[in-house]
Amino acid sequence: MGRVRDALRFRDGKKNAVKPGDFPVGPTSKSNAAKQLQATADRLDQLQEALYASASQSVLLVLQGMDTSGKGGTIRHACGLVNPQGLHIKSFKKPTRTELKHDFLWRVRRALPTPGMIGVFDRSHYEDVLIAKVDSLVEPDEVEKRYDLINAFEQELADSGVVLIKCFLNISREEQRKRLIARLERPEKHWKYNPADLDARSKWDDYQDAYADALTRCDTDTAPWFVVPSDHKWYRNWAVSQLLLETLESMDPQYPEPSFDVEEELKRVKAAN
Amino acid sequence: MGRVRDALRFRDGKKNAVKPGDFPVGPTSKSNAAKQLQATADRLDQLQEALYASASQSVLLVLQGMDTSGKGGTIRHACGLVNPQGLHIKSFKKPTRTELKHDFLWRVRRALPTPGMIGVFDRSHYEDVLIAKVDSLVEPDEVEKRYDLINAFEQELADSGVVLIKCFLNISREEQRKRLIARLERPEKHWKYNPADLDARSKWDDYQDAYADALTRCDTDTAPWFVVPSDHKWYRNWAVSQLLLETLESMDPQYPEPSFDVEEELKRVKAAN
């Protein structure tokens, strides 16, 4: 299934086997990662164009992680390697009133990538079994039901040609502290800071448990979870770009056959004024 | 207003003053353009982040041009310099039945960038005074009305904080021929070729006239048109990235003041577990 996919694939209980600061596969230095990223960019570019041209399958990259784990940075530096015309990025915020009137998957269905596109979810339906569980926004048996609904939904996506890559950007508690402090010490990063982030931080262990449950209950072969060590931003960006690359390689998108006679059209163009 | 903005700004009758293969401003070689592009990328990155954070104004880059003029390539290489999370790209195809039931600006209004975003239109409402005029899809007096409606619409956008950059990607007839042939000679480019492109090509002069009219009628100080020499792809990409950069510089987006007490929050983070 691909070297990086295999190394980072979540398996029951393995969530904590790879530490947030580890390099379980690939480069172990920033400069090596940067070199590899350029080769990846060229290959991603080719594969994305074929995916877009074929317009049959699509990719959905789901990014989840604690505050400051780098969902935005991953989009900027890993997804930023891809032609932006082929990306469909959706950030899921606190549900609006309208969204709350519908079932939790309603807004997710509306944001799915169309065939040929690479969809990117900055947070996702998993918030509905994470914050919903930690803050007891719903009853425990509703959370249980949602795992099943998510699995059914993701199977439905897989059946319709949407290939899922679900990434848990795994940072350590200590790294989060550093990043929160950095946001406060740099005026141009103040806008990224939210006092409420500390409330979530105070429930760190509860969130880790909720992630462990969600990953365990919703890791399937058709919609696997990957645990991305994210204490080092350059490693996180490299890893996600590789997951994207290996996934596209395994999909092997093909340019469509032309619906016209190529030789005939060449003659027409050359004869035209 | 900026060196490149000034040099490429359309003015009555000037559409043909700058030739598609000219370099009226900036680099005159591909390698110099590439060097400048990297510096531009870093600066764009900073300005885009401030625009996004301020979430007050937005940019709307309108790309128009004949087939093969490189609207897609511009998005890939010029807009691709920007964080994709801050881009909202919309391609306007032949109107759907639903779209045709509404006035021509309806679908355009639905695709406008939200505050803080850089919107990119791959074709736009200008198709409704270009192909609509050339193919007589509407009466001539309707075309006249549409110029006025477009001007009123764009003034409304400017008043609501949407800064427009309208680019006519200007290629020569000979360059289009080369690009159409290249699409046919490279199997991985076949999907970009459409036999109907030759029909539009056969009306080349009519299209040039329609562009001249649209640019003349709809060039205003609040929503100016720029004529981008596009026979050289590297020049086109450089020029559009500079127009974007100069526009963002003139907007001078500012990070919002924090809504919290920074020192207090720093203490809280440091005291937290």
Side-chain angles (χ1 to χ4, degrees), chain A:
Chain A
M1 74 183 298
R3 192 171 61 104
V4 181
R5 283 173 64 92
D6 198 51
L8 301 183
R9 173 77 191 270
F10 168 78
R11 282 176 193 91
D12 279 13
K14 209 188 101 178
K15 175 175 153 291
N16 296 315
V18 177
K19 300 275 175 265
D22 284 355
F23 313 123
V25 60
T28 56
S29 76
K30 192 172 178 176
S31 58
N32 277 338
K35 272 178 216 157
Q36 289 192 32
L37 219 55
Q38 194 43 57
T40 302
D42 294 342
R43 188 85 187 96
L44 269 180
D45 195 52
Q46 296 163 351
L47 286 161
Q48 183 274 331
E49 186 165 325
L51 181 78
Y52 188 85
S54 76
S56 55
Q57 294 178 285
S58 59
V59 171
L60 179 55
L61 177 68
V62 172
L63 300 175
Q64 285 286 161
M66 300 293 288
D67 292 322
T68 78
S69 61
K71 299 176 287 290
T74 302
I75 293 175
R76 190 171 187 162
H77 299 288
C79 303
L81 299 174
V82 171
N83 182 351
Q85 208 158 13
L87 289 177
H88 180 82
I89 301 167
K90 170 71 184 175
S91 288
F92 289 96
K93 315 277 184 194
K94 195 176 165 183
T96 62
R97 281 171 132 190
T98 305
E99 287 168 351
L100 285 172
K101 283 183 192 159
H102 297 83
D103 77 282
F104 75 102
L105 291 172
W106 178 77
R107 63 176 186 161
V108 178
R109 288 181 186 277
R110 289 163 58 98
L112 292 171
T114 49
M117 298 291 285
I118 297 175
V120 183
F121 281 1
D122 176 352
R123 302 187 188 271
S124 67
H125 44 294
Y126 281 95
E127 292 298 322
D128 299 289
V129 290
L130 291 165
I131 189 171
K133 181 172 180 166
V134 171
D135 286 354
S136 302
L137 303 179
V138 295
E139 297 294 321
D141 63 337
E142 171 65 16
V143 174
E144 289 298 317
K145 270 186 216 158
R146 287 183 177 182
Y147 295 137
D148 296 334
L149 287 166
I150 287 174
N151 286 334
F153 169 61
E154 293 183 350
Q155 183 61 50
E156 180 194 322
L157 292 184
D159 292 343
S160 68
V162 181
V163 179
L164 279 138
I165 312 171
K166 301 185 294 190
C167 295
F168 170 55
L169 306 183
N170 192 21
I171 57 162
S172 64
R173 197 163 185 164
E174 185 48 32
E175 181 64 21
Q176 189 191 57
R177 178 204 301 273
K178 285 183 197 161
R179 293 187 187 179
L180 288 173
I181 291 174
R183 284 185 180 178
L184 287 164
E185 287 179 338
R186 296 174 58 190
E188 78 277 17
K189 297 293 171 197
H190 286 167
W191 68 280
K192 289 189 171 187
Y193 182 86
N194 182 342
D197 292 349
L198 273 189
D199 300 337
R201 179 172 169 81
S202 72
K203 300 167 195 163
W204 184 272
D205 292 337
D206 291 344
Y207 269 104
Q208 297 301 314
D209 289 347
Y211 268 108
D213 285 353
L215 269 63
T216 303
R217 290 293 305 275
C218 301
D219 176 70
T220 62
D221 285 337
T222 41
W225 268 106
F226 300 96
V227 179
V228 178
S230 298
D231 271 5
H232 299 278
K233 294 175 182 176
W234 57 265
Y235 189 81
R236 175 201 71 205
N237 296 338
W238 172 84
V240 175
S241 71
Q242 293 303 308
L243 291 173
L244 200 51
L245 179 61
E246 289 182 359
T247 302
L248 281 164
E249 281 174 340
S250 71
M251 291 167 73
D252 192 24
Q254 299 295 320
Y255 286 100
E257 286 297 311
S259 58
F260 48 83
D261 182 329
V262 174
E263 290 307 316
E264 198 56 41
E265 290 299 319
L266 259 174
K267 275 185 216 157
R268 280 183 71 212
V269 173
K270 287 175 179 172
N273 194 356

Side-chain angles (χ1 to χ4, degrees), chain B residues 69-169:
Chain B
S69 62
K71 299 176 287 291
T74 302
I75 294 176
R76 191 171 188 161
H77 299 288
C79 304
L81 300 174
V82 170
N83 181 352
Q85 207 157 15
L87 290 177
H88 180 82
I89 300 166
K90 171 69 183 175
S91 288
F92 290 96
K93 314 277 183 193
K94 195 176 164 184
T96 62
R97 281 171 132 189
T98 305
E99 287 169 351
L100 285 173
K101 283 183 191 160
H102 296 84
D103 76 283
F104 75 102
L105 291 172
W106 179 77
R107 63 176 188 163
V108 178
R109 289 182 186 276
R110 290 163 56 98
L112 292 171
T114 50
M117 298 291 284
I118 298 174
V120 183
F121 281 1
D122 176 353
R123 303 188 188 269
S124 66
H125 45 294
Y126 281 95
E127 292 297 322
D128 299 290
V129 291
L130 292 165
I131 189 172
K133 181 172 179 166
V134 171
D135 286 354
S136 303
L137 302 180
V138 294
E139 297 295 320
D141 64 337
E142 171 64 17
V143 174
E144 288 298 319
K145 270 187 216 160
R146 286 183 178 183
Y147 294 138
D148 295 335
L149 287 167
I150 287 174
N151 286 334
F153 170 59
E154 293 183 351
Q155 183 60 51
E156 180 194 323
L157 292 185
D159 292 343
S160 68
V162 181
V163 178
L164 279 139
I165 312 171
K166 301 185 294 189
C167 295
F168 171 55
L169 306 182

Side-chain angles (χ1 to χ4, degrees), chain B residues 31-261:
Chain B
S31 58
N32 278 338
K35 274 178 215 156
Q36 289 191 32
L37 219 55
Q38 193 44 56
T40 301
D42 294 341
R43 188 87 187 94
L44 269 180
D45 196 53
Q46 296 163 352
L47 286 162
Q48 182 274 330
E49 187 165 324
L51 180 78
Y52 189 84
S54 75
S56 54
Q57 294 177 286
S58 59
V59 171
L60 179 55
L61 177 69
V62 172
L63 299 175
Q64 284 287 160
M66 299 295 286
D67 292 322
T68 77
S69 62
K71 299 176 287 291
T74 302
I75 294 176
R76 191 171 188 161
H77 299 288
C79 304
L81 300 174
V82 170
N83 181 352
Q85 207 157 15
L87 290 177
H88 180 82
I89 300 166
K90 171 69 183 175
S91 288
F92 290 96
K93 314 277 183 193
K94 195 176 164 184
T96 62
R97 281 171 132 189
T98 305
E99 287 169 351
L100 285 173
K101 283 183 191 160
H102 296 84
D103 76 283
F104 75 102
L105 291 172
W106 179 77
R107 63 176 188 163
V108 178
R109 289 182 186 276
R110 290 163 56 98
L112 292 171
T114 50
M117 298 291 284
I118 298 174
V120 183
F121 281 1
D122 176 353
R123 303 188 188 269
S124 66
H125 45 294
Y126 281 95
E127 292 297 322
D128 299 290
V129 291
L130 292 165
I131 189 172
K133 181 172 179 166
V134 171
D135 286 354
S136 303
L137 302 180
V138 294
E139 297 295 320
D141 64 337
E142 171 64 17
V143 174
E144 288 298 319
K145 270 187 216 160
R146 286 183 178 183
Y147 294 138
D148 295 335
L149 287 167
I150 287 174
N151 286 334
F153 170 59
E154 293 183 351
Q155 183 60 51
E156 180 194 323
L157 292 185
D159 292 343
S160 68
V162 181
V163 178
L164 279 139
I165 312 171
K166 301 185 294 189
C167 295
F168 171 55
L169 306 182
N170 191 20
I171 57 163
S172 64
R173 198 165 184 164
E174 184 47 31
E175 181 64 21
Q176 188 190 57
R177 177 203 302 270
K178 284 183 198 162
R179 293 186 186 179
L180 288 173
I181 291 173
R183 284 184 180 179
L184 286 165
E185 286 179 339
R186 296 174 59 191
E188 76 278 18
K189 298 293 170 197
H190 285 167
W191 68 281
K192 290 188 171 186
Y193 181 87
N194 182 343
D197 294 349
L198 272 189
D199 301 336
R201 179 172 170 81
S202 71
K203 299 168 193 162
W204 184 272
D205 292 337
D206 292 342
Y207 268 104
Q208 297 302 315
D209 289 346
Y211 268 108
D213 284 352
L215 268 63
T216 303
R217 291 292 306 275
C218 301
D219 176 70
T220 62
D221 284 337
T222 42
W225 268 107
F226 300 96
V227 179
V228 178
S230 299
D231 271 4
H232 298 279
K233 293 174 183 177
W234 57 265
Y235 189 82
R236 175 201 71 205
N237 296 337
W238 172 84
V240 175
S241 72
Q242 293 304 308
L243 291 173
L244 200 50
L245 179 61
E246 289 182 359
T247 302
L248 280 164
E249 281 174 339
S250 70
M251 292 167 73
D252 192 24
Q254 298 296 317
Y255 285 100
E257 286 298 312
S259 57
F260 48 83
D261 181 328

